[in-house]
């Protein structure tokens, strides 16, 4: 079922946008210090906070602590979160994307390893509930935030969940909404944020692979970075 969350950007002093951490809690914690994140600010996370590591649950527990301490985070659902929760509940894995079988096998093994740790059981239950509460779309008067894509040929309430979290279509050509759009999912191979046509921002900088996280403060368009660019072996997915 499609989940949409509306919010008022004026409620926050600064709005930081990024996504696709894929388990890089080291970069995330360094970025929090870099931006001097406060309770008056908002983090918009565009999905895919985990991926390949057996201890990836740590990054969500970091989000939980921040929320418990009164900080503001809004996490959009990514395809990696969706696959993880589907694996946990034994649901059929969507095959919208050619990498779905690889993702299913990879995340099933990591989830199984996490579940075997007794100390993780309550945390995993919290995490599954957290994932199932994540919106597919965040929307304000000024902006739309999604993990992968948005179909401007459809009304907001008619958006297709699979398209929103899986598609790699060049949807920015069709943005006639008058809003800025922020998305991740498809890594930019130069490890930088890209401004596409029609005020659409491509935010996945491939932080896991390059060891460098780049984010944007939405209101000022100021760019922040931590880490040093260094491409690891392997393919960007």
């Amino acid at each position: 079922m499609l989940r949409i969350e509306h919010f008022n950007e004026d409620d926050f002093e600064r709005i930081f946008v990024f996504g696709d951490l894929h388990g890089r809690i080291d970069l995330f914690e360094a970025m929090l210090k870099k931006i001097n994140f406060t309770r008056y600010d908002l983090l918009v996370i565009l999905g895919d906070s985990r991926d390949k590591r057996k201890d990836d649950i740590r990054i969500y527990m970091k989000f939980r602590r921040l929320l418990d301490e009164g900080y503001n985070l809004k996490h959009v659902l990514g395809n990696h979160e969706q696959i993880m929760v589907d694996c946990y509940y034994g649901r059929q894995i969507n095959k919208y994307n050619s990498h779905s079988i690889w993702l299913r096998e990879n995340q099933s093994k990591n989830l199984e390893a996490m579940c075997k740790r007794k100390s993780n059981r309550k945390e995993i239950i919290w995490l599954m509930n957290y994932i199932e509460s994540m919106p597919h779309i965040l929307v304000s008067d000024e902006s739309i935030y999604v993990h992968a894509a948005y179909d401007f040929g459809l009304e907001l309430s008619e958006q297709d969940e699979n398209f929103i979290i899986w598609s790699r279509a060049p949807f920015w050509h069709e943005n006639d909404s008058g809003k800025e759009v922020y998305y991740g999912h498809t890594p930019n191979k130069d490890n930088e944020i890209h401004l596409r046509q029609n005020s659409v921002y491509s935010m996945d900088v491939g932080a896991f692979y390059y060891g460098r996280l780049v984010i944007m403060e939405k209101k000022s368009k100021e760019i922040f970075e931590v880490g040093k660019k260094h491409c690891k072996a392997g393919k960007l997915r």
Side-chain angles (χ1 to χ4, degrees):
M1 179 176 164
L2 182 69
R3 294 185 295 274
I4 302 167
E5 180 180 338
H6 296 263
F7 75 104
N8 186 349
E9 295 190 0
D10 291 336
D11 290 343
F12 309 97
E13 286 188 356
R14 299 180 296 172
I15 299 174
F16 297 98
V17 187
F18 63 97
D20 301 274
L21 286 167
H22 292 292
R24 290 301 300 260
I25 190 171
D26 55 332
L27 295 176
F28 177 66
E29 290 180 333
M31 184 60 78
L32 289 179
K33 295 179 181 178
K34 177 89 172 187
I35 64 177
N36 189 27
F37 185 53
T38 77
R39 291 175 177 85
Y40 299 103
D41 301 325
L42 171 67
L43 290 180
V44 175
I45 304 168
L46 299 174
D48 281 8
S49 290
R50 80 170 303 267
D51 187 8
K52 301 172 175 64
R53 300 179 178 183
K54 295 179 181 179
D55 61 349
D56 277 351
I57 194 171
R58 290 192 306 138
I59 198 161
Y60 297 104
M61 293 305 106
K62 178 66 176 182
F63 299 159
R64 184 182 187 181
R65 288 192 294 273
L66 288 169
L67 289 167
D68 288 346
E69 292 169 4
Y71 291 92
N72 301 296
L73 282 75
K74 295 184 182 295
H75 195 302
V76 170
L77 180 71
N79 59 305
H80 284 247
E81 280 87 21
Q82 185 63 61
I83 289 174
M84 182 165 61
V85 76
D86 286 347
C87 286
Y88 182 80
Y89 288 112
R91 299 170 183 160
Q92 183 177 357
I93 305 299
N94 181 275
K95 295 185 178 180
Y96 190 89
N97 184 281
S98 61
H99 293 310
S100 61
I101 296 176
W102 177 86
L103 291 170
R104 177 185 62 202
E105 293 174 351
N106 180 275
Q107 298 214 35
S108 293
K109 290 177 182 178
N110 289 353
L111 182 60
E112 181 181 359
M114 287 194 299
C115 289
K116 286 181 179 178
R117 303 179 191 176
K118 294 181 179 179
S119 60
N120 280 351
R121 288 178 182 173
K122 290 183 179 179
E123 293 179 343
I124 289 173
I125 291 172
W126 175 88
L127 177 56
M128 295 304 124
N129 291 332
Y130 180 51
I131 291 174
E132 293 211 299
S133 72
M134 291 176 179
H136 296 85
I137 306 169
L138 275 174
V139 61
S140 71
D141 288 342
E142 301 86 2
S143 311
I144 297 170
Y145 305 85
V146 292
H147 176 59
Y150 190 91
D151 187 345
F152 293 101
L154 299 175
E155 296 295 326
L156 176 63
S157 61
E158 298 173 345
Q159 295 294 312
D160 179 82
E161 299 168 30
N162 291 322
F163 186 83
I164 290 293
I165 68 172
W166 279 105
S167 178
R168 298 191 192 275
F171 68 96
W172 48 86
H173 297 298
E174 310 302 326
N175 183 16
D176 57 359
S177 67
K179 296 177 184 273
E180 294 181 344
V181 181
Y182 295 83
Y183 77 101
H185 185 55
T186 301
N188 296 323
K189 295 184 179 180
D190 59 358
N191 193 210
E192 301 291 348
I193 293 169
H194 287 186
L195 173 58
R196 307 294 187 189
Q197 292 175 305
N198 302 316
S199 300
V200 176
Y201 290 84
S202 176
M203 303 299 295
D204 184 354
V205 299
F208 177 87
Y209 298 92
Y210 292 103
R212 174 174 169 266
L213 175 62
V214 186
I215 74 172
M216 177 187 291
E217 197 287 300
K218 189 263 178 185
K219 296 184 179 184
S220 67
K221 300 298 186 288
E222 185 175 358
I223 300 295
F224 298 84
E225 62 180 87
V226 293
K228 184 178 181 181
K229 187 186 296 188
H230 176 68
C231 186
K232 296 180 65 175
K235 295 181 179 179
L236 294 175
R237 293 185 181 270

